[in-house]
Structures are given as C-alpha cells and as structure tokens.
Amino acid sequence: VVNLHSTTVSAMDGPPPPIVNLAAALWGTTSQVSDPVAYAVTCGNTIFGSNTPSSSNCTMPCSADASQTCGGPNAIQIYVKDNYPYTVGPASVLDSYNGYSNAECWENDPNNVLLRKDPASPIPSDSMTVQKCIDGCAAAGFSTAGIRVGRECTCDNVILPVGQGIDMKKCNTPCTGDATQICGGSFRNIVYHNFNTPNPITYPGVIQVLDAKTDEILGYFDHFTASGIIRLTSPFVAEMFTVTVPAGVTSQIEITSTRGIDGFPFLGLIQGTSDADSQQLEVGSWHYAVFGGTSHTAPGVPPQTGQNSYYWSQKFETSVWTINTATGDISGVWVNPDNTTVPIIPVRWQNSAMRATADVDALNAHYSTNFPAAKLRFTSKFRSKS
C-alpha cells in the first residue's frame, strides 16, 4: 500500500512497474539515512491520507541513478500501471450497504474475540473494502460484518449493543482496497449489523446492575457465587454472558454463562426459601427468588425441580428474560405455580448477593432492611469510553 504521511503528491511520467498497479519512490531522512537521497519504494492500490498533487517537489535524484528523480522532500513520485483506477484518501466511514448499517468502532479483545467466523469466500488482504466484507458475510448467512487493520474481514451472528462502541476516531485505518473508506484499526473493528437477518442472533456482554432510581452502577454479575447466589463484582472480572434469540424474538429467552455459574450453564431465578408457599411471588408478599446458576427450563412453565447452584430442593426457572436490543435493558418474569406471571424486581442484598421480588417494600419490611430496587443492563465486555 502506498501509505502517504506527506503533504504533497506528484504524479510523474515514467515506465510503469511490471507487476504492481502503483509504485512510488519516497525521499526522506531517518536515523539510518542521513543523506538527502531517495531510499524507499512502496507499492499498492490506494493512496492513504490527505494529499495534494504537486508539480515541483519531486526533484531529488535517485540514489542509484542520478539522472532519474525519485520524489522529494515531503513528496512521493507515483507511477500507475495501465491507467489503474486507484483510490485516494482521506478515508471516512461508509454509513451503510446492502442492508447492513449502524457502523460502530469496537475494541477487539484477543481473549474475547468479537467476530469468529469467515466470509463465504476469502477476500485478498490487499484489496479489502467494506462492500466486499459485507457481501462475503451476507453470502455466508451472517448478520454482522467487521473489518480490522484495514484488511481483515470477520463475520458472526452477533449483535453488539448499539451505542456502546468506542470513539469512531479510533477506527482510523483506511481499507487496502479503497482509501476513501475506514476499515477498523489496530485491535479495533468497524462493525456493521443487519437487523433483519432470519438467523438466530447472539448478543455477548456482561450484566450491569444499576440503582433503579439514580442509575448509579452497583456492580456486575460474577460467575462465582456467595452460597450459590449470584454476587456482584467489578467490571474487570465480570462474567461474560451470551443471549441467543431467534429473529424477532426478545422475550422468554435464556441467558448463558460462558464459564458457568458454579458450573451451571444458565442464569436463572431460584426459589428463595423452602416455605411451601414461597414459590408464589406477588405484590404484597415478601417472598423472593435468588439469581443463580441453573439447568434448562422451558418458557412459560412454573418453577421446576432440578440441579442448581443454590439448593437442589429449591425450584427454579430460566426462560424468563426479556432483552431490549436497543438499550440492553434486561427484565424478567416469574411464573407462579398457579401459572400467573409477575414482573420481578432485582435487589442488591447483603454482601452484594442478588435477590428478585415482586414487592421490594414488602421484602424490606419483612427483614427490617432498606435495600433499593435495581435494574439490569446487558452491556459489552469490550466497551471503553476512553
């Protein structure tokens, strides 16, 4: 790639190189090269950066043949093969293409790779464009396409929470196949989504707990528990969860723990006490459930008996969650033994353990406590607003 950081560009007549579309001779001074002579040759199909043509700056003689010019101070001498239609920067973000939109910049944590699948056919790294990546991902049936370091395309059926990427200015690498487009950056992906895909979509992230009134962040769900109950931790060690939903379905879904909650795969609600009537949650009642690790239960069914992280004698439910894909907000319901349903209210209890109830006031009155109502938000492990 002809990667220009100079302020002027000169296009000169001369013999085209035999095997590349663009070639350039660049003059400059480095710690290894102190004499003002041409010393570098670069090749590619694009011209990066903000550059302007110049007819007077390419005046330096070539180091091997003083009868030829090889660029000049802050200038590069370019030869084009067969009138090749190369592109010239500066680069900007392509807003949308072929049904894929919501371009955002996301950090790519090597320990938690954002997009893990390949496009339908390999795309040459020296000719990458946003359109080629999206077309390749669409052909392979994926809802999400991402490009990083200007040339690497990856895909997946993953929708990252909209609005939670990093500053788009940090995705600043032009595409190798089109210098007018941004193709991510170092350890950063520019990501495009197709929200109308028929495929199930996976949302990766962590679960953030906030005060329901003030939006103060109270903590993040851990994969370790306190006596089998989910507890809160810092964002740096928070458990990674995934939500996989069929197209158009955002309720009665399960949330899966990547590492397992005390070895159990699903985030569930577990009967809080062993009282015979404690499975019935309702307004006016102090009864509660706890957040913990469980096995699978079907949507819409009352509490089931089975293995869980709390007490195996306690019944539980897992397919109870609803996610707002625009905001990441998570809500849940509890299906009572009489098949009535009630919205649950999360509560950060003592020792940062998490409970859920239908009536926070009744719960606090029963235990002579004053723990506030909370709310849950699904946010990305990779978010960095800095």
Side-chain angles (χ1 to χ4, degrees):
V1 177
V2 181
N3 190 350
L4 303 184
H5 299 286
S6 59
T7 58
T8 58
V9 174
S10 177
M12 306 289 288
D13 295 331
I19 58 173
V20 296
N21 294 316
L22 294 180
L26 174 66
W27 175 90
T29 301
T30 69
S31 58
Q32 289 78 34
V33 181
S34 58
D35 294 329
V37 294
Y39 70 90
V41 174
T42 55
C43 309
N45 298 322
T46 54
I47 302 175
F48 295 165
S50 300
N51 305 283
T52 56
S54 171
S55 59
S56 60
N57 285 28
C58 290
T59 58
M60 296 303 302
C62 299
S63 59
D65 187 346
S67 67
Q68 298 179 1
T69 57
C70 284
N74 295 321
I76 190 168
Q77 193 162 323
I78 296 174
Y79 297 90
V80 182
K81 180 183 179 183
D82 298 331
N83 295 316
Y84 181 81
Y86 60 89
T87 57
V88 180
S92 60
V93 175
L94 182 67
D95 291 331
S96 62
Y97 171 74
N98 196 24
Y100 289 71
S101 58
N102 289 92
E104 289 197 300
C105 185
W106 284 81
E107 289 189 19
N108 193 63
D109 185 340
N111 297 317
N112 291 292
V113 178
L114 286 173
L115 309 176
R116 300 174 180 269
K117 307 298 174 53
D118 294 324
S121 300
I123 304 170
S125 61
D126 62 353
S127 62
M128 182 62 65
T129 67
V130 173
Q131 293 93 328
K132 288 180 180 180
C133 183
I134 287 176
D135 284 342
C137 292
F142 294 114
S143 62
T144 306
I147 314 109
R148 61 178 179 266
V149 295
R151 62 182 182 274
E152 297 179 7
C153 173
T154 51
C155 321
D156 219 322
N157 287 318
V158 174
I159 297 292
L160 302 166
V162 174
Q164 294 180 8
I166 63 173
D167 188 343
M168 183 60 82
K169 292 179 181 178
K170 295 186 177 182
C171 277
N172 53 16
T173 302
C175 303
T176 56
D178 188 342
T180 68
Q181 297 178 357
I182 290 292
C183 276
S186 179
F187 292 104
R188 297 182 177 96
N189 293 260
I190 188 166
V191 177
Y192 293 83
H193 301 306
N194 182 349
F195 293 95
N196 298 316
T197 176
N199 300 319
I201 295 173
T202 298
Y203 298 78
V206 295
I207 296 177
Q208 187 182 67
V209 181
L210 306 97
D211 186 291
K213 290 184 178 180
T214 66
D215 270 355
E216 175 191 358
I217 298 174
L218 304 177
Y220 295 77
F221 275 19
D222 200 347
H223 77 289
F224 293 115
T225 66
S227 301
I229 304 173
I230 283 283
R231 64 182 183 182
L232 300 187
T233 187
S234 73
F236 306 106
V237 294
E239 171 62 348
M240 172 66 70
F241 292 91
T242 58
V243 178
T244 301
V245 299
V249 177
T250 56
S251 61
Q252 292 189 319
I253 58 178
E254 290 180 313
I255 298 177
T256 304
S257 166
T258 301
R259 292 176 289 188
I261 303 168
D262 281 2
F264 294 94
F266 299 108
L267 173 66
L269 296 173
I270 308 169
Q271 175 187 355
T273 66
S274 58
D275 303 46
D277 60 350
S278 65
Q279 298 174 40
Q280 188 79 14
L281 304 187
E282 56 192 5
V283 175
S285 169
W286 63 269
H287 292 140
Y288 64 91
V290 299
F291 290 83
T294 67
S295 48
H296 165 76
T297 67
V301 300
Q304 303 292 300
T305 301
Q307 297 181 3
N308 63 79
S309 65
Y310 193 39
Y311 292 111
W312 288 11
S313 60
Q314 314 289 74
K315 295 185 176 182
F316 60 87
E317 306 174 9
T318 60
S319 300
V320 298
W321 308 111
T322 296
I323 183 168
N324 182 324
T325 56
T327 64
D329 288 346
I330 298 172
S331 57
V333 297
W334 178 262
V335 182
N336 286 310
D338 62 5
N339 288 313
T340 60
T341 60
V342 60
I344 61 101
I345 304 170
V347 181
R348 185 188 67 170
W349 205 248
Q350 294 169 337
N351 300 317
S352 293
M354 288 300 298
R355 293 186 177 185
T357 182
D359 193 325
V360 176
D361 291 337
L363 179 64
N364 277 316
H366 181 80
Y367 287 99
S368 299
T369 54
N370 188 31
F371 293 104
K375 60 183 178 181
L376 308 180
R377 181 165 296 158
F378 204 66
T379 185
S380 171
K381 176 79 171 179
F382 309 94
R383 182 170 71 166
S384 173
K385 288 295 185 182
S386 61

